Amino acid sequence: MYKKNKYTVRSNKQIANLVYEMVLEGDTSYITKPGQFINIEIDKFYLRRPISICTYDESTITIIYKVVGEGTEVLSNLKEGTILDILTGLGNGFDTRRSKERPLLIGGGVGTPPMYGLCKALIKEGKKPVVVLGFNSKSDVFYEKEFKDLGVEVYISTVDGSYGTKGFVTDIIRTLNGYDFYYTCGPMNMLKAVYELIETSGELSLEERMGCGIGACMGCTINTKNGPRRVCYNGPVFKKEELVW
Amino acid sequence: MVDLSVTLSNVKLDNPIIPASGTFGYGMEFKDFYDINILGSFSMKGTTKEERFGNPTPRIAECTAGLINSVGLQNPGIDFVVEKQFPLMKKYFNKPIIANISGFSIDEYKYCAEKVDKEEQVGIIEINISCPNVHNGGMSFGTEAKSAMEVTKAVKSVTTKPVYMKLTPNVTNIVDIAKACEDGGADGISMINTLLGMRIDLKTRKPIIANKMGGFSGPAIFPVALRMVYQVYEAVKIPIIGMGGISTAKDVIEMMLAGATAVEVGSANLKNPYVCKEIIEALPSEMEKYKIDSLKEIIGKAH
Ligand SMILES: Cc1cc2nc3c(=O)[nH]c(=O)nc-3n(C[C@H](O)[C@H](O)[C@H](O)COP(=O)(O)OP(=O)(O)OC[C@H]3O[C@@H](n4cnc5c(N)ncnc54)[C@H](O)[C@@H]3O)c2cc1C
Ligand SMILES: Cc1cc2nc3c(=O)[nH]c(=O)nc-3n(C[C@H](O)[C@H](O)[C@H](O)COP(=O)(O)O)c2cc1C
Ligand code: FES
């Protein structure tokens, strides 16, 4: 169930190369699961911008976004106190019940944010998540400390080797064992590599260009083993078993 | 009290606001967020004889004051819609709906029209003739007066409900097509469908839409739609459902002055899912502002 509301920008600060963390204040009662997203109206742009919820509480939502185009550029310049029109409660989110004691959380670049809220939710259920994050370079890395503060194991890879393990998340995952389920969000090529490498079951959060974000336009449809599915409505999180590549 | 009611053929609407086909699904995605029974009616997602996955993604590209879509008529097929979706729809929508159907041959149009004609909930059948005719080199039915008339006649021969032909604006003279539909026995005209457009990604230097081109809609096309409704109103006697970029109560009034009896609101639902509710709520004060007692009275008054 979604809801359109006004939110106030409480903070908006750069946390890595082109990456910003924004805290929004307003109604969060429609958010039910980690991995859901919000759809933000930005002045002068016709379509809203979908961004994952990093974490939330009774009155605030934290998002992390990368400046990749004109809309996110405008977003990065918004000052504290700016009012935004946002749809919340979108998407299905991750199902924390599907994992046992030691779920593996894999985030790639700005696919990392939803892993943070998920990590908190899993810890609350008494689980011990293992977190693997992949970035291009040291200047892109963010939220390492935030994850460590939750008391979980965190492994980081960078493609150029300037921080953590040189290579990809899969290079780290190959050295890990004992996990029983995985959750992941990140660029398509990373998701595919993870999908091919890991044998246990898992959930993957996908991305598509969206028209509405509420399931009305069929703009974001992917083909799955169960037939056509809308990323914004039936997803963005899909079971490993339903995906076709 | 101002009067918002209008009549399309024999179907009386409480107000002229109708969510446009393809932007409102079958109503499911909106029914929990406001009482959709406040709408005049709604036009269901374009449905075809066979189930269709539609086009590959990306299917959506943003534009200034609008968007391009190349959904490609994704739908579960008319049999599924009639058997599964209609009974559900009956539970959450208690007014006549507009059944929007598409086809890739005359026979497909007839098949779908015959099916929806039997459904009690269907008030009007809206025939989307922007689709390519597979038996005629893929040329769209709606781009030639002759084939537009052929579809109209074929559908009329198997139906009893009012048939509205939905016109594509991608033609040299839309008036000719509208007249051909009227001559073929159409009860009304729905116009306009999307304008063919495209966007190119400067970073990849390739079209954004996987299918390269798609249908352009949204506020940017309002003046084009308005002009076409104005022209067609002068040429035909049957009622027109006007659409293209409508986003506010003011736009509704303007479109009705051009000659529309009712309007469909499309893209605006994607940006703001509550837009139809907001327009219906804003209409009375907007009417008072322009000294309109009854919306019926302003139809075509710009002529
Ligand atoms: C469910 C979901 C969750 C997301 N979560 C995050 C997140 O947490 N952090 C983050 O940085 N990014 C996230 N994204 C990607 C983000 O939506 C895009 O980076 C953003 O829309 C780009 O907008 P722009 O105006 O800067 O880019 P432009 O390229 O100028 O945008 C033009 C149009 O394309 C769309 N678009 C461009 N890139 C993407 C993309 N990768 N995915 C979907 N639409 C796109 C825009 O929404 C807009 O409609 C998410 C996308 C989806 C679908
Ligand atoms: C995402 C999308 C899907 C559409 N699908 C259909 C369709 O299935 N059948 C149809 O007749 N028109 C379809 N249309 C066209 C609209 O019904 C409408 O004619 C057009 O978008 C112009 O109105 P607007 O500017 O208010 O959107 C679609 C439009 C959009 C944006
Ligand atoms: S973006 Fe409209 S259905 Fe998903």
Side-chain angles (χ1 to χ4, degrees):
Chain A
M1 292 258 279
Y2 63 79
K3 177 87 176 162
K4 188 166 92 72
N5 255 317
K6 302 286 180 203
Y7 293 80
T8 310
V9 177
R10 278 295 163 233
S11 69
N12 191 18
K13 61 170 200 263
Q14 188 164 5
I15 57 169
N17 182 29
L18 295 173
V19 177
Y20 291 76
E21 178 197 69
M22 181 184 277
V23 178
L24 296 153
E25 190 176 306
D27 182 10
T28 61
S29 61
Y30 281 75
I31 304 168
T32 54
K33 277 191 189 162
Q36 287 187 315
F37 68 97
I38 63 177
N39 218 356
I40 310 174
E41 184 170 82
I42 306 176
D43 213 19
K44 296 188 184 66
F45 292 89
Y46 194 67
L47 297 177
R48 291 168 184 269
R49 297 297 186 269
I51 303 285
S52 298
I53 295 165
C54 173
T55 182
Y56 69 101
D57 59 27
E58 304 76 47
S59 62
T60 67
I61 300 172
T62 302
I63 57 168
I64 294 173
Y65 60 92
K66 185 173 182 179
V67 174
V68 297
E70 291 180 31
T72 44
E73 169 86 49
V74 171
L75 213 54
S76 73
N77 290 319
L78 295 183
K79 297 274 171 296
E80 210 183 307
T82 308
I83 309 278
L84 291 170
D85 183 289
I86 300 176
L87 287 164
T88 60
L90 305 175
N92 58 351
F94 292 105
D95 187 348
T96 53
R97 293 166 309 183
R98 297 190 64 215
S99 58
K100 298 194 194 75
E101 277 119 71
R102 207 172 128 89
L104 186 57
L105 272 52
I106 309 149
V110 281
T112 297
M115 291 301 132
Y116 182 70
L118 174 65
C119 191
K120 292 212 299 193
L122 291 166
I123 291 169
K124 228 183 192 165
E125 292 178 9
K127 297 173 184 176
K128 293 193 170 52
V130 181
V131 178
V132 181
L133 307 176
F135 299 94
N136 282 321
S137 186
K138 188 179 177 190
S139 60
D140 302 315
V141 178
F142 62 89
Y143 261 48
E144 180 184 16
K145 182 176 181 306
E146 281 78 356
F147 275 103
K148 284 195 167 147
D149 286 349
L150 297 177
V152 295
E153 284 172 60
V154 183
Y155 302 90
I156 292 182
S157 68
T158 53
V159 179
D160 67 3
S162 53
Y163 194 78
T165 303
K166 182 173 171 25
F168 300 95
V169 287
T170 42
D171 295 315
I172 296 173
I173 297 165
R174 277 194 198 91
T175 68
L176 299 173
N177 48 47
Y179 52 85
D180 48 60
F181 194 84
Y182 72 89
Y183 298 99
T184 184
C185 181
M188 223 38 191
N189 48 5
M190 182 200 92
L191 296 184
K192 187 152 192 259
V194 166
Y195 173 91
E196 280 164 1
L197 176 69
I198 304 183
E199 278 167 24
T200 63
S201 186
E203 291 188 349
L204 302 89
S205 182
L206 307 189
E207 214 176 79
E208 267 305 338
R209 288 200 179 225
M210 294 185 172
C212 63
I214 60 166
C217 73
M218 310 286 152
C220 63
T221 306
I222 58 158
N223 194 17
T224 72
K225 286 181 186 142
N226 304 322
R229 291 286 182 273
R230 288 158 287 174
V231 170
C232 72
Y233 192 73
N234 312 105
V237 178
F238 290 89
K239 292 192 179 98
K240 172 193 173 181
E241 292 73 21
E242 40 177 351
L243 292 176
V244 279
W245 297 88
Chain B
M1 268 296 278
V2 290
D3 180 9
L4 301 186
S5 71
V6 295
T7 304
L8 286 170
S9 303
N10 54 12
V11 184
K12 194 167 184 275
L13 308 181
D14 293 338
N15 62 66
I17 309 304
I18 307 166
S21 179
T23 62
F24 207 72
Y26 298 94
M28 289 283 279
E29 292 74 22
F30 293 82
K31 68 170 173 48
D32 293 333
F33 307 105
Y34 67 89
D35 178 11
I36 62 172
N37 286 297
I38 63 166
L39 298 167
S41 175
F42 77 81
S43 178
M44 72 183 203
K45 173 66 196 169
T47 302
T48 52
K49 180 168 186 254
E50 314 291 344
E51 165 187 0
R52 283 174 61 81
F53 175 75
N55 292 323
T57 57
R59 294 175 172 185
I60 302 285
E62 189 182 47
C63 307
T64 305
L67 73 148
I68 290 171
N69 89 82
S70 80
V71 169
L73 288 169
Q74 181 191 336
N75 77 89
I78 195 72
D79 294 336
F80 180 91
V81 169
V82 166
E83 278 153 40
K84 297 270 160 38
Q85 204 67 52
F86 276 30
L88 278 178
M89 229 172 338
K90 200 180 264 170
K91 293 196 185 123
Y92 56 76
F93 196 66
N94 56 31
K95 293 180 175 180
I97 65 147
I98 299 186
N100 182 292
I101 60 177
S102 283
F104 298 89
S105 69
I106 299 270
D107 285 341
E108 286 183 21
Y109 278 112
K110 279 170 77 172
Y111 181 88
C112 295
E114 222 175 334
K115 279 245 159 188
V116 294
D117 194 57
K118 294 197 188 83
E119 294 301 309
E120 190 195 322
Q121 287 152 281
V122 174
I124 287 172
I125 304 171
E126 183 173 63
I127 309 289
N128 174 9
I129 50 171
S130 302
C131 319
N133 177 355
V134 292
H135 298 305
N136 186 22
M139 181 95 143
S140 147
F141 287 99
T143 54
E144 272 181 353
K146 189 169 149 280
S147 55
M149 190 194 289
E150 252 177 88
V151 180
T152 313
K153 281 185 174 159
V155 170
K156 281 299 288 178
S157 74
V158 295
T159 53
T160 57
K161 300 198 171 179
V163 169
Y164 279 53
M165 303 303 288
K166 181 161 175 182
L167 308 187
T168 165
N170 304 311
V171 293
T172 31
N173 190 349
I174 200 159
V175 172
D176 291 345
I177 313 287
K179 284 208 296 230
C181 292
E182 184 178 42
D183 292 344
D187 299 281
I189 300 288
S190 264
M191 60 188 289
I192 59 174
N193 211 316
T194 52
L195 289 143
L196 194 60
M198 84 182 282
R199 294 300 307 271
I200 293 168
D201 185 330
L202 302 192
K203 284 183 206 145
T204 62
R205 303 182 177 185
K206 292 279 180 290
I208 292 176
I209 298 272
N211 237 19
K212 298 190 176 77
M213 292 165 220
F216 181 34
S217 60
I221 73 165
F222 181 74
V224 178
L226 188 82
R227 181 268 294 178
M228 289 183 163
V229 168
Y230 186 91
Q231 288 178 310
V232 167
Y233 181 81
E234 304 226 311
V236 302
K237 292 187 188 65
I238 50 181
I240 301 168
I241 304 177
M243 76 196 82
I246 294 175
S247 322
T248 64
K250 256 206 189 101
D251 296 341
V252 174
I253 294 173
E254 196 172 339
M255 190 56 94
M256 292 185 73
L257 286 168
T261 297
V263 301
E264 286 183 26
V265 177
S267 306
N269 291 298
L270 308 183
K271 187 179 173 63
N272 174 8
Y274 300 89
V275 72
C276 287
K277 176 178 188 281
E278 289 172 12
I279 292 176
I280 292 166
E281 286 165 359
L283 266 172
S285 61
E286 209 61 46
M287 287 165 68
E288 270 162 34
K289 198 156 133 198
Y290 297 99
K291 303 195 170 46
I292 302 163
D293 297 324
S294 161
L295 278 181
K296 281 190 278 291
E297 283 160 21
I298 65 162
I299 299 164
K301 280 290 146 41
H303 293 261

